[in-house]
Amino acid sequence: MSGLKTSMAEGERKTALEMVQAAGTDRHCVTFVLHEEDHTLGNSLRYMIMKNPEVEFCGYTTTHPSESKINLRIQTRGALPAVEPFQRGLNELLNVCQHVLDKFEASIKEYKDQKASRNESTF
């Protein structure tokens, strides 16, 4: 088990992501434990990872309703290590979220501009 990313919370160092491999398994079948996450990230990330044809299996579970962490399991075909589709899935999800945010902000700006131009024309 190894921690990949850490964050500071209440003065102590807390691991935000862990990579868990069972003894005797290879790097093609890995469980990632994401702390402080829930179904929102779990299902979105699972969907993005499953689009990769080299991924044989990807699924997630929440450990318990009172705990905010998910276990995301990835199993790949061939020589591709499981960490690669995990990283690619995170990047693709980030790109989709950025696209949605850009469109949303552009729509807000367009709405405000239209509202301002209507207010100017009434005077």
Side-chain angles (χ1 to χ4, degrees):
M1 182 167 21
S2 64
L4 298 177
K5 182 179 175 186
T6 58
S7 63
M8 298 301 282
E10 298 178 17
E12 65 181 46
R13 194 172 184 138
K14 186 175 181 182
T15 302
L17 173 65
E18 296 174 55
M19 214 171 94
V20 181
Q21 275 183 275
T25 61
D26 57 16
R27 56 194 182 119
H28 308 293
C29 190
V30 176
T31 298
F32 298 92
V33 181
L34 291 91
H35 298 271
E36 304 302 322
E37 297 297 343
D38 58 14
H39 291 286
T40 304
L41 180 65
N43 196 40
S44 302
L45 189 54
R46 181 202 58 80
Y47 173 77
M48 297 305 276
I49 292 170
M50 280 304 297
K51 290 179 12 176
N52 185 335
E54 291 297 313
V55 173
E56 187 171 14
F57 173 81
C58 182
Y60 78 96
T61 60
T62 56
T63 55
H64 188 272
S66 67
E67 293 181 323
S68 57
K69 70 178 181 178
I70 58 172
N71 295 323
L72 182 80
R73 181 123 176 122
I74 301 173
Q75 184 174 338
T76 60
R77 297 180 176 93
L80 184 69
V83 72
E84 288 184 26
F86 178 70
Q87 290 172 332
R88 187 183 315 166
L90 285 171
N91 288 330
E92 289 174 1
L93 186 57
L94 181 65
N95 291 339
V96 167
C97 290
Q98 187 61 53
H99 176 75
V100 170
L101 181 62
D102 292 345
K103 289 291 187 181
F104 179 73
E105 289 174 344
S107 294
I108 289 174
K109 182 181 181 325
E110 181 182 335
Y111 172 77
K112 287 180 178 179
D113 291 346
Q114 287 175 355
K115 189 175 178 182
S117 67
R118 274 187 258 143
N119 286 345
E120 288 175 3
S121 64
T122 58
F123 291 113

